[in-house]
Amino acid sequence: MRFLWPCLLLLPCTALAEPSLYIERPCETAQPLDRIDVVSSEPGTLSVLDGEGHEYARVPIEARASFDVGGALGTHRLRVHGADGVLRSERKLQVDATTRLEEDSGTYSTLFTQAVDTMTVKRPGGDDGAPAGGHDLKHWRGKDYQLYVLWVLDHAQTSKGMAYVSPHIRDGVLLFRDAQKSDGMIWSFCRADEPRGGYYDTAYGKLGMSWHDSGLLFARQPVANHDEYEFVNMLFTAWQASGDDAFMSASLPSAMRALDYSLSELRYSHKYGLLKRPYTIDSWDFQVDDEHLVREGLSPVMTLDPKRTKFGIFFGDNTGYIQACRRLSVMLSHAGKKQDAERFHKRADELEQRLRTVSWNGHFFRHFRDEDESVKRELGVDEASQLAQANMYSLNRGIPHEQATSILDTYRDLRKQLPPGSPGEWYAIYPPFGRGFGSGAETWQYMNGGSAGHAASELARGAFEHGRESYGVETLQRMAALIARTDGKVHFAYTGAFPPVKKAQTFTPLDLRAQANMDIKAPSWGKAWMDSEPGNDLSALPTGKLVAGGAPFHVIDPHGNQRRAAVGISVKPGWPDKVEIPAADLRVGGVYLLHTASFPPPPEGPPRSDPVNAAALSFLYSDDTMRGVYLRRDVHISSWWYPNLQTHESGVAWRGPNQKTGDVGVTWTVVENPQPEKPVRAIELSASMSGGTYALLGMTMADRMPPKQRDVISYGGPDNWAGSNMVVALLEGLGGVHDDDRAFRHATLSPRWSATWSDHATLVARYGASRGYVAYRFAHERKTRTITLTLTGASEQLKARVLLPPGNTLQDATLDGAPVQGSSERVEGSSYAVFPVERGVHELRVRYVKRAR
């Protein structure tokens, strides 16, 4: 946190002759609600004008006087008039605002600092995370664009919090607006260009979803149906933060085309009158891998076939789209386009009614409903009972209040029956899928049952808005404790559970003698170890039983198998490039490998950071289908000289000396079977095209994968997004800041500190792209049952909406010392005292009393 220390600055008067006016103030620039002491050599009246020339303070002054800074930012003028009304002295004071949150418990101010730091600092992983400072510079068609994250979905979510710190809130809208396809489609992401014919061209090109232009590659994840409404929401956020009506108006045609594209044949279900997509986990871009998947193209789970793909209704696309339609209607109305505004508002109402019929089960929105009712899926879970994270996001998308409270109560009930080790009920999907999603969605991680740190903030914010303030506070406190016991960051996902191991693994070592073609010694009577020179081999490797990674292997004794102890494959002359190992139709959860490799020298040019593929392993099932995975250097395998490998599912199995070096060895790994329900006919190994040699010394089948040695922190998704959502939950949820217009021209302040044990708080919410801000000081005197709120902003009008402690109601109130009549508002069991407040700086004092039963 940034603290402002008082200092005395004496500025001589140059505009007018004596008497002089001096300002005692914090350093060079004052912040809203700073207390300013003024010294004058002549008595009179002190008048203070804000950056737009509006008077917000008028106090008598003898020798000195004080006032609280407020009103519009910029150059403030302090004027002293004598008793005769003549101007005697004048001073200037520069006023600026920085978003901040401070409170006396330390819990929420610390959480706010951690959230801002997470939001604005690059996560490891490169191109899809936001760089240091929260911006990634992209140059396109002669212009520079500062993006937060390079994906529209991630950028839109991160924009919500970055609006309070970043001046570049319009850049993402401008880039994706001007790159929009003529049919209205919004690209999912952009990145530095790559040679034509690469992955995205091959996988997405035939669908028209890959485009190279002016140094950037734009692509659309074919299965996704959220980019258009996220683009419109991104526009709305940018308009509110910047207050830039011209920018907004110029973007309206693009926004309308985007939302109309969402009703195209590929994206809209005429059967249900709702947005559709293939079966994915919530809003993610990989679809289920089951018998209904169209298995064509480079990435079947990422792509679709307009005619053959099985589509359905994911409710989150529709709640997001409905919100975007209503926001677009607001912008159109502001721009004077009343007819278009009515069209999109009507569209939102119609979709909301259809969605209630199709997806609402009385307690929450059902995750997915197949358009083809004859489709039956075996995904290892009761799909009708699954609770998807978009329910938490829908809380803040304007859904009806009764639906919101039902969703909140569902999550509170889940809180009472969490699985072992769960950090919280904020699941991406619960219960997770048992089948249908491969290693990219392992159980209790990321999207498949990971506890979503990014969605916990949405749950808290929704709780504050819908009369469940204590649940919102509890959620923030549990997130604060989780962040404190990990690494001080707000992470996108956490491991969703640590279930106990119910049963030990059962192992079946396979006999490799018939496939073995290489000795472990050099020279050899047969094919020498790796074609090596004499003495450079693995002859010291013990034969017989070897246990590694908990699995038993059988290492062949070459003396009893014609000097053949390992299965070697390579694309080099004289070696087989593929081998098939029978597996006797076993049902297995994973296969353990005892192996190593020789890797070719790296190619000329820049160093490569990606792992090198050592080989490919394919599961060949008895129904003649197959699934494969690459065996990658430093992930599954290491070189046999100086072996170095240690992950949760791989490691060094044996090391020892030979005649050339003191450190050679072999590694182990376990590879998950993506379809464990199917009998495995054989395991096929294929050589890497890089020219190295892969050597298998043992293979053991396991009925299940080993229990995970899991970290509390999971993976996937940018943490910037999670940090952003936490910033918003604190400022808008707990802090109660709401922009009723744009640039805070009209705003509502609903401080909810009465739901916490914090008795003093200061909050400033300032948009980074404009001078729009609001600020308040909150003080709670529990003994006298009094709440004092000092508030200001760059606002024409404010509405103060003060949460009273549970079980209480408004007794009376004063505004700037004078009695004032307020109104009471009930949200479920919560009571708010509501008062309109004009421009300037004001002190509202509210007294409350126990509610009569």
Side-chain angles (χ1 to χ4, degrees), residues 548 595 635-636 644-647 649-654 666-669:
H595 59 179
V635 176
H636 304 101
N644 183 23
L645 185 64
Q646 184 175 1
T647 75
E649 296 178 347
S650 58
V652 177
W654 173 86
V666 294
T667 54
W668 69 273
T669 194

Side-chain angles (χ1 to χ4, degrees), residues 310-380:
K310 297 296 185 181
F311 290 91
I313 306 303
F314 163 55
F315 75 92
D317 285 337
N318 290 278
T319 59
Y321 184 81
I322 291 166
Q323 179 191 42
C325 284
R326 288 180 173 146
R327 285 179 161 181
L328 179 55
S329 177
V330 170
M331 292 186 285
L332 287 164
S333 180
H334 186 85
K337 300 180 182 296
K338 304 298 183 183
Q339 188 173 355
D340 286 327
E342 292 173 3
R343 175 165 63 95
F344 281 98
H345 193 277
K346 180 181 178 182
R347 184 183 297 180
D349 289 346
E350 291 172 348
L351 264 70
E352 186 174 73
Q353 290 303 314
R354 295 175 199 143
L355 185 63
R356 179 186 287 270
T357 300
V358 172
S359 297
W360 182 250
N361 67 8
H363 301 284
F364 56 89
F365 290 106
R366 177 171 175 166
H367 176 224
F368 194 88
R369 181 167 179 175
D370 274 294
E371 200 174 25
D372 181 351
E373 296 178 2
S374 69
V375 169
K376 304 299 179 185
R377 301 182 189 272
E378 299 296 331
L379 303 180

Side-chain angles (χ1 to χ4, degrees), residues 9 11-12 14-15 21 23 25 28 49 74-79 89-95:
L9 184 61
L11 298 179
T14 57
L21 176 64
I23 303 173
R25 62 182 180 83
E28 296 180 1
L49 282 65
T75 302
H76 287 211
R77 295 181 180 275
L78 287 64
R79 295 173 174 175
S89 304
E90 181 174 323
R91 283 289 172 268
K92 294 179 181 180
L93 176 66
Q94 296 302 317
V95 176

Side-chain angles (χ1 to χ4, degrees), residues 478-510:
R478 286 188 288 137
M479 276 297 295
L482 178 61
I483 292 165
R485 71 184 174 91
T486 50
D487 60 354
K489 297 179 181 178
V490 189
H491 284 280
F492 187 85
Y494 298 86
T495 298
F498 292 82
V501 178
K502 296 181 180 180
K503 181 181 177 182
Q505 291 173 283
T506 299
F507 298 107
T508 305
L510 298 186

Side-chain angles (χ1 to χ4, degrees), residues 181 185 187 200 204-211 218-223 261 266-267 304:
K181 284 191 69 176
M185 190 191 81
W187 302 104
Y200 293 104
Y204 304 168
K206 68 177 182 179
L207 295 169
M209 298 185 184
S210 176
W211 180 47
F218 294 87
R220 171 62 177 259
Q221 293 298 97
V223 303
Y261 168 81
L266 187 63
R267 305 298 181 188
L304 51 77

Side-chain angles (χ1 to χ4, degrees), residues 574-587:
W575 293 85
D577 62 359
K578 185 180 296 185
V579 65
E580 188 175 298
I581 300 167
D585 289 332
L586 292 171
R587 293 182 186 270

Side-chain angles (χ1 to χ4, degrees), residues 453-472:
H454 61 95
S457 303
E458 291 294 300
L459 180 65
R461 184 157 67 104
F464 286 121
E465 290 293 334
H466 292 283
R468 300 287 193 270
E469 293 86 358
S470 61
Y471 184 42

